[in-house]
Amino acid sequence: MRSGSDDCPGVVSAPVRPLALYAWLARPVVHSLQLDREQLVVTAGADSHRLSVSEVDLEMVREWGCLRRITLTAPQGVYALGGVAPRTAAAFLATVVEAQRSERVRTSLQEEWPRYRELWRRWGDLAAADRYLTHTDVQAWLAELRAVPLPSPEEMDLLGQVKAERQATLQGLQALSLGARETVDRRNREWVQAEATRFASLLDTVERYPLTPSQREAVLHDEDNALVLAGAGTGKTSTLVAKVGYLLRKELARPEELLLLAFTRKAADELRERLKRTFSVSVPVRTFHSLGLEILAQAEGRKPSLAREAEDPAVRRATLAQLVTDLFGEPDFRRDYLGFHTHLRAPYRPAQEFRSEAEYRDYLLAVEPRTLSGILVRSYEECEIANWLLLHGIRFEYERPYELDTASERYVQYRPDFYLPDYGIYLEHWGVDRAGNPAPFMERASYQAKMQWARELHVFRGTTLVETYSWERAEGVLLTRLETKLWERGVVFGSVPVQEALVQLNRLGLWEPFLTLVGTFLSLLRSTGHSVEEIRGRTGAGRDAGRTSFFLNLIERVQLAYQQLLAGRREIDFDDMIQRATELTRSGAYSSRFRYLLVDEFQDLSQGRARLLQALREQIPGSKLFCVGDDWQSIYRFTGSDLSLTTRFAEHFGYTRTTALSQTFRFDDRLAGFSSRFVQKNPAQLPKSLTALTRGTRAAVVVQLCPDGEDGLPILLTQLATEERASVFVLNRYHFHRPAGAQQALRRRFPQLNIQFHSVHAAKGLEADYVILEHLSSGRYGFPSEVADDPALDLVLAQPDAFPHGEERRLFYVALTRARKRIYLLADAERMSPFVRELLDDRGYEKDVTGTADLASSARCPSCQHGRLHRRRGPYGAFYGCSNYPVCEHTEQACSNCLNGRLATREGGTRSCGMCGFSARVCPRCREGALLTRRRRSDGRAFYGCSRYQASSSPCRYTEERPMGRPTFTNGK
């Protein structure tokens, strides 16, 4: 069939007869069909043929099985010949392709049918099995199905002649390949419903009340990983007990193949006894610590000796204190200790990062920039300068008045930031960037004018001024540049004797917090299994790299000393026990027998314990994890718990079946709605809805506003005492808020009440008829607490909440949900807790409010917007000052008539007292103060003076003569 010409070698110039073409196509070579420039060209190896499609019997083309070898390729070296109608050519190509596909599908079906049939049979066995189909079951079957080439739905259309039974099998397999999850979920729902009927007796009687539908779901679902979100009072322990009973009755595991894990010894003992009492069998119930000891004993052939430091916090603290004291004999350790305390404990942030003055003041309140000598200064940067001067033996005075009297009618006396009396040097620290711009919330022109005025003043008076800038601290060169500037001016650098510095640090109360920090960090570090070197490698060179470096140097020496101490005594503590138990389990030195791991209070789990759970599961393929917890009650981040293990459970453990226990047995629907609304203000919390068995008839929460210093607790207890033998929890954010003696006195005074005093942390898991949550104030030891963890702990703790006061909000929720009947919130009216203020401001909360707050005292500061105005007394009488002093220095003169109220601006150019109703004219100069009557010391004559005469910022010295007989105030009545 090969022919050609000089111009077109290998190309046939004459038409090819159809039968000859088919024979040619049947040859075992690679073929191509190409439509090029509306002409049909057929190529086989070196041969190319022009074809008249009209001469082709298309039915014969369909019958040729050899066409399955034809492929369409790009034309290479193919010459266009003859004319072929494009439509005819396209129809021919489509026919060839269709025949090719049909033959390929038919042949594939014939070859793969035994595997299709076996897969379908096995699926039938799975679906009919008397058990829950797990994700592992389904994925293993799907993996085999995906290894078999299934015909697509389009290809199935080519197989109309296939037997009906094969059609059904193929269609079923295709449906499962596309949507197995929905099919399995539907099958499992039906199976669980049938199982609920079979085990109705157990589910109805295992606890005092029949299990709720959501509890039954949690018990009967048997997924590889199960997370049960158990809201407050929803019966999580009942669910755990019923789950154990079901596994035993169903014979899914023997008692010794179950492992229940609790976080405290008391909880483990109670759960163990409850299971034994209910099912008359002994089921392993452990704490993580006792499990760790068991693993070490079996793997190493001897039970390890537990150090006293592991069980007695006082002994551990004393041991660490002695180790640190001994290490002070090393010069490097002393240097790092002093260097660590030179920096503030809060992370550094320049003022330029803050959008408003209120935000910046909040930051300074949290930082509390107090120097090593105990002086509270105005910024983080000033504090570092002051500490550097102290440690280099350079005497200074902070904000000493300048040697020239610069006070005027508009400005107060000039006070440079630092004065070095031994050298006559003034030091000003300016909060500006490299371009000379202050923070965005500051008035640029005014600030720069102040800088220029100060410079010109020093030039005029011939005094020495050294300047530093915020941009130097941001770039990490503040102290090195300061050293150069002072050296150039003849300042001699010395050092404070180490012992003197240590005494000063102890005097400032830094020794005990440092020991607490070391103990906490060491415990978290050892339990995670990370080394100091690993952490040092992750920290990098950030703004606080200096403080971090000093601390890691210290902790590395303390850790080594502590390990050597325990090794010398051949003892172990709890901190590294979990790590060692995990290593022994993963290496196979310990052999697990547990097919089911059931964990209580899962929201308190740490990463180290999570790794131990995973190691235990790896020992037995097909073992299962059943966890009960509540992300709304996660309150132990400071001990290492990681909330993300609950909120992102599937990411850590794999495919998960999540069930929410939605019905609470503890309180009514009003308290359920109130508490749920409050905790879910944090969008990071997993959403769920609590329902209650009972409907409330009154507001479940009472907010009692108490004036500053008033103890409202006896009043509330008197009201509750009418209900004989009612149980009452008095809860505080900190246990030290109400001394033991005061507690005993109240118990004696109200013997008809069962009164217990707890911190909120200690009350978790408990309940009472009534809960009184007291000392709800703002501030460092308020609720929410403003006591921030040392940032060094962030190196070993889980990521903190992005939502403000996230963990404190969950702690408040725990307090709310301890009550069965009602909760009372005792709030400080003058320093009100932000949580209470939220409850009062949000109309979505149903609550009763009793007591009266001094509206003047609880007013928001107009300057910083965050503080509250408190009434104080000074050398010039009563006034109102911001609670954020000294960060915010806003003051207002109290009403000179009643000496209590604030003079608020009213229409008509007056400032009126909100208490007594008297009013005074607004100062015409500053438009802020009020004109009050004053008397000259010289002759006793009365005149009008602005109430902002003694203001610490922008005082107003405006005065005017007082006409005879003109009253200062008018009665607003």
Side-chain angles (χ1 to χ4, degrees):
M1 294 179 60
R2 178 171 180 171
S3 64
S5 68
D6 293 338
D7 295 330
C8 302
V11 176
V12 177
S13 58
V16 180
R17 300 298 300 170
L19 292 178
L21 170 67
Y22 301 150
W24 180 73
L25 289 174
R27 294 164 58 192
V29 294
V30 177
H31 308 286
S32 70
L33 297 173
Q34 179 64 41
L35 183 64
D36 185 29
R37 297 179 183 177
E38 301 184 356
Q39 297 170 344
L40 181 65
V41 178
V42 182
T43 304
D47 297 330
S48 295
H49 300 270
R50 174 176 60 84
L51 177 65
S52 174
V53 180
S54 61
E55 299 180 81
V56 177
D57 183 349
L58 298 182
E59 286 298 320
M60 293 182 67
V61 172
R62 293 190 182 94
E63 295 175 2
W64 279 85
C66 64
L67 293 182
R68 71 178 184 273
R69 296 194 298 272
I70 296 176
T71 60
L72 298 177
T73 62
Q76 294 181 357
V78 177
Y79 292 84
L81 299 173
V84 178
R87 182 178 299 178
T88 304
F92 173 77
L93 289 176
T95 302
V96 172
V97 172
E98 181 180 343
Q100 177 188 17
R101 291 176 61 198
S102 179
E103 185 63 25
R104 185 180 68 248
V105 172
R106 187 179 293 107
T107 303
S108 176
L109 176 61
Q110 191 66 27
E111 294 174 353
E112 300 293 346
W113 174 249
R115 296 175 67 184
Y116 294 152
R117 183 175 53 198
E118 176 62 17
L119 281 168
W120 187 245
R121 184 195 65 76
R122 288 181 50 210
W123 171 255
D125 291 344
L126 275 176
D130 183 23
R131 63 186 179 86
Y132 187 91
L133 290 190
T134 68
H135 183 72
T136 298
D137 294 331
V138 176
Q139 290 304 305
W141 182 84
L142 282 176
E144 293 187 42
L145 176 63
R146 289 166 184 152
V148 179
L150 273 178
S152 68
E154 294 81 6
E155 292 172 331
M156 285 289 293
D157 294 338
L158 303 174
L159 301 175
Q161 70 274 28
V162 176
K163 293 181 180 180
E165 65 172 280
R166 293 194 177 188
Q167 285 271 14
T169 297
L170 291 172
Q171 290 170 355
L173 293 176
Q174 283 179 334
L176 287 169
S177 68
L178 297 174
R181 186 72 264 161
E182 294 78 4
T183 302
V184 172
D185 287 345
R186 183 170 59 253
R187 180 269 178 195
N188 279 340
R189 282 195 300 271
E190 295 170 354
W191 182 86
V192 166
Q193 290 173 0
E195 198 78 346
T197 302
R198 286 194 292 269
F199 286 87
S201 176
L202 170 69
L203 302 175
D204 288 341
T205 62
V206 66
E207 289 294 300
R208 181 179 178 185
Y209 298 104
L211 298 187
T212 66
S214 55
Q215 286 178 309
R216 291 169 191 252
E217 283 186 23
V219 168
L220 298 175
H221 283 87
D222 197 33
E223 189 53 82
D224 302 317
N225 300 292
L227 175 63
V228 181
L229 297 175
T234 56
K236 69 177 181 63
T237 305
S238 298
T239 304
L240 267 174
V241 171
K243 181 71 174 182
V244 171
Y246 171 71
L247 295 175
L248 295 176
R249 297 275 179 90
K250 186 72 173 176
E251 297 183 349
L252 294 175
R254 297 188 299 273
E256 64 271 16
E257 294 175 326
L258 304 176
L259 173 63
L260 279 75
L261 288 164
F263 275 83
T264 66
R265 186 180 302 173
K266 179 181 178 183
D269 291 343
E270 290 176 353
L271 191 54
R272 186 183 302 109
E273 289 303 314
R274 191 164 172 175
L275 289 170
K276 190 171 185 178
R277 185 171 60 250
T278 304
F279 303 116
S280 300
V281 293
S282 180
V283 178
V285 182
R286 304 280 189 271
T287 64
F288 278 92
H289 289 158
S290 63
L291 174 64
L293 284 174
E294 179 180 309
I295 290 174
L296 266 61
Q298 290 187 22
E300 298 177 344
R302 60 184 297 273
K303 188 172 184 178
S305 299
L306 200 60
R308 289 184 59 201
E309 287 81 1
E311 298 185 294
D312 191 336
V315 173
R316 176 183 172 85
R317 188 177 183 85
T319 298
L320 289 177
Q322 186 60 54
L323 290 175
V324 173
T325 301
D326 294 343
L327 287 169
F328 270 119
E330 302 177 9
D332 289 348
F333 190 89
R334 294 196 302 269
R335 179 205 62 206
D336 289 336
Y337 181 77
L338 294 177
F340 172 72
H341 284 298
T342 300
H343 300 272
L344 292 182
R345 67 191 303 267
Y348 167 70
R349 294 182 63 190
Q352 280 75 7
E353 287 188 358
F354 295 89
R355 294 171 298 178
S356 68
E357 186 176 8
E359 287 185 0
Y360 181 57
R361 284 173 170 167
D362 281 351
Y363 167 72
L364 291 181
L365 284 171
V367 170
E368 191 179 0
R370 191 177 297 278
T371 70
L372 295 179
S373 58
I375 302 172
L376 187 63
V377 295
R378 297 181 185 276
S379 74
Y380 193 117
E381 295 154 2
E382 287 187 1
C383 190
E384 287 195 336
I385 292 173
N387 288 342
W388 186 88
L389 293 172
L390 283 168
L391 293 177
H392 284 79
I394 303 171
R395 292 195 310 124
F396 69 88
E397 298 176 33
Y398 183 67
E399 291 192 341
R400 163 182 157 165
Y402 185 62
E403 55 197 56
L404 173 68
D405 184 6
T406 63
S408 65
E409 186 173 318
R410 186 164 181 80
Y411 297 105
V412 297
Q413 173 65 26
Y414 170 47
R415 294 172 177 266
D417 294 328
F418 299 94
Y419 177 67
L420 312 185
D422 295 333
Y423 304 96
I425 294 175
Y426 292 96
L427 173 59
E428 281 282 21
H429 180 71
W430 303 112
V432 295
D433 60 18
R434 269 190 175 272
N437 298 314
F441 54 81
M442 296 181 181
E443 207 284 310
R444 179 173 176 271
S446 175
Y447 195 89
Q448 291 179 340
K450 178 182 177 182
M451 293 171 63
Q452 187 61 31
W453 176 86
R455 291 164 178 165
E456 292 175 355
L457 174 65
H458 286 284
V459 171
F460 175 74
R461 292 291 298 175
T463 50
T464 302
L465 174 65
V466 172
E467 298 177 82
T468 56
Y469 311 95
S470 286
W471 66 261
E472 293 174 315
R473 176 57 175 87
E475 296 181 12
V477 296
L478 173 64
L479 300 181
T480 55
R481 287 174 60 89
L482 174 61
E483 182 176 9
T484 300
K485 294 170 186 177
L486 294 181
W487 178 79
E488 291 174 346
R489 289 163 177 79
V491 175
V492 178
F493 304 105
S495 62
V496 176
V498 172
Q499 193 58 38
E500 179 183 331
L502 296 179
V503 169
Q504 177 62 18
L505 291 176
N506 190 43
R507 186 181 299 118
L508 292 173
L510 297 179
W511 171 250
E512 290 298 324
F514 177 75
L515 285 181
T516 300
L517 173 62
V518 167
T520 303
F521 190 95
L522 191 60
S523 176
L524 294 168
L525 175 68
R526 287 159 62 79
S527 65
T528 61
H530 295 306
S531 68
V532 172
E533 280 305 314
E534 288 175 328
I535 294 176
R536 186 179 280 118
R538 296 200 310 260
T539 56
R543 290 172 178 167
D544 299 293
R547 185 179 193 270
T548 299
S549 178
F550 284 130
F551 181 72
L552 291 178
N553 290 342
L554 295 169
I555 206 71
E556 191 170 34
R557 295 187 184 93
V558 176
Q559 181 189 31
L560 178 60
Y562 187 63
Q563 288 174 334
Q564 290 174 342
L565 175 68
L566 295 186
R569 300 190 321 215
R570 300 189 67 184
E571 294 176 341
I572 189 173
D573 70 359
F574 290 137
D575 294 333
D576 62 350
M577 182 196 306
I578 301 299
Q579 178 195 352
R580 287 182 57 188
T582 302
E583 293 170 351
L584 291 169
T585 303
R586 282 186 171 157
S587 68
Y590 169 77
S591 180
S592 173
R593 64 182 184 277
F594 303 117
R595 301 189 61 83
Y596 282 85
L597 304 175
L598 300 94
V599 186
D600 190 16
E601 300 288 4
F602 184 80
Q603 75 278 349
D604 297 332
L605 199 75
S606 66
Q607 287 286 350
R609 288 172 169 82
R611 285 192 289 271
L612 177 57
L613 290 177
Q614 291 167 330
L616 289 168
R617 296 190 68 193
E618 291 167 3
Q619 284 253 335
I620 301 182
S623 59
K624 300 184 179 182
L625 182 62
F626 182 85
C627 303
V628 182
D630 184 9
D631 66 295
W632 291 6
Q633 300 185 70
S634 177
I635 57 175
Y636 289 107
R637 176 178 177 265
F638 65 92
T639 66
S641 70
D642 188 343
L643 180 58
S644 74
L645 291 170
T646 302
T647 57
R648 301 203 301 273
F649 188 95
E651 295 179 27
H652 294 280
F653 299 99
Y655 183 84
T656 302
R657 177 69 163 74
T658 301
T659 306
L661 304 186
S662 57
Q663 182 170 291
T664 180
F665 301 91
R666 183 174 298 163
F667 36 74
D668 62 33
D669 60 330
R670 298 196 174 195
L671 185 49
F674 186 101
S675 57
S676 298
R677 177 182 176 86
F678 178 80
V679 75
Q680 289 185 103
K681 285 292 184 75
N682 182 351
Q685 303 297 160
L686 297 177
K688 51 182 177 283
S689 177
L690 284 186
T691 60
L693 287 174
T694 58
R695 297 182 63 83
T697 58
R698 60 178 182 174
V701 175
V702 177
V703 180
Q704 175 75 44
L705 299 175
C706 303
D708 186 31
E710 179 180 299
D711 187 357
L713 181 58
I715 299 174
L716 289 181
L717 293 176
T718 301
Q719 297 174 13
L720 297 178
T722 58
E723 185 174 337
E724 191 72 19
R725 303 313 305 168
S727 58
V728 181
F729 280 176
V730 179
L731 304 183
N732 277 282
R733 174 61 181 84
Y734 292 99
H735 62 83
F736 56 72
H737 273 318
R738 189 168 289 273
Q743 297 176 19
Q744 292 296 334
L746 287 171
R747 290 194 184 97
R748 289 192 298 269
R749 182 176 172 183
F750 300 99
Q752 65 273 49
L753 295 175
N754 178 13
I755 306 174
Q756 296 184 45
F757 295 84
H758 299 287
S759 69
V760 182
H761 281 96
K764 187 174 179 295
L766 306 177
E767 58 185 75
D769 294 328
Y770 301 97
V771 167
I772 301 174
L773 186 54
E774 58 176 347
H775 292 106
L776 294 178
S777 62
S778 60
R780 187 169 178 80
Y781 294 102
F783 203 166
S785 170
E786 297 290 350
V787 179
D789 289 330
D790 193 289
L793 293 178
D794 288 334
L795 300 172
V796 285
L797 284 176
Q799 282 293 107
D801 280 80
F803 193 73
H805 301 303
E807 182 148 330
E808 290 291 302
R809 182 173 290 269
R810 292 191 293 272
L811 188 63
F812 199 86
Y813 170 81
V814 168
L816 292 174
T817 53
R818 298 310 93 198
R820 288 190 288 262
K821 296 182 178 180
R822 212 174 197 200
I823 186 163
Y824 295 86
L825 306 178
L826 285 177
D828 188 325
E830 293 193 3
R831 298 183 301 112
M832 192 176 296
S833 160
F835 287 162
V836 175
R837 190 165 297 281
E838 174 188 318
L839 302 181
L840 295 178
D841 292 343
D842 189 339
R843 295 183 180 180
Y845 293 111
E846 184 186 12
K847 69 275 181 181
D848 289 339
V849 182
T850 62
T852 56
D854 180 351
L855 296 180
S857 296
S858 62
R860 189 183 298 273
C861 173
S863 178
C864 70
Q865 295 297 314
H866 282 214
R868 295 286 159 177
L869 296 181
H870 294 171
R871 184 175 177 276
R872 298 188 174 100
R873 291 197 63 82
Y876 300 99
F879 69 98
Y880 283 92
C882 180
S883 60
N884 286 345
Y885 178 85
V887 174
C888 178
E889 297 183 334
H890 179 82
T891 60
E892 294 182 9
Q893 189 74 28
C895 172
S896 61
N897 182 62
C898 66
L899 303 180
N900 280 316
R902 289 174 56 232
L903 295 176
T905 303
R906 299 286 186 267
E907 294 183 3
T910 63
R911 290 177 64 85
S912 301
C913 176
M915 288 190 174
C916 68
F918 284 83
S919 62
R921 286 188 298 133
V922 172
C923 173
R925 175 178 292 170
C926 69
R927 308 302 300 174
E928 293 184 9
L931 296 184
L932 306 178
T933 299
R934 303 186 185 279
R935 294 187 180 277
R936 294 189 180 91
R937 293 182 180 179
S938 58
D939 55 13
R941 289 188 59 185
F943 66 96
Y944 289 123
C946 181
S947 61
R948 292 191 55 79
Y949 181 83
Q950 294 292 338
S952 56
S953 61
S954 301
C956 180
R957 305 299 174 87
Y958 177 81
T959 63
E960 66 177 45
E961 292 298 321
R962 176 186 173 190
M964 294 295 295
R966 182 176 177 179
T968 306
F969 296 97
T970 57
N971 194 318
K973 300 179 182 179

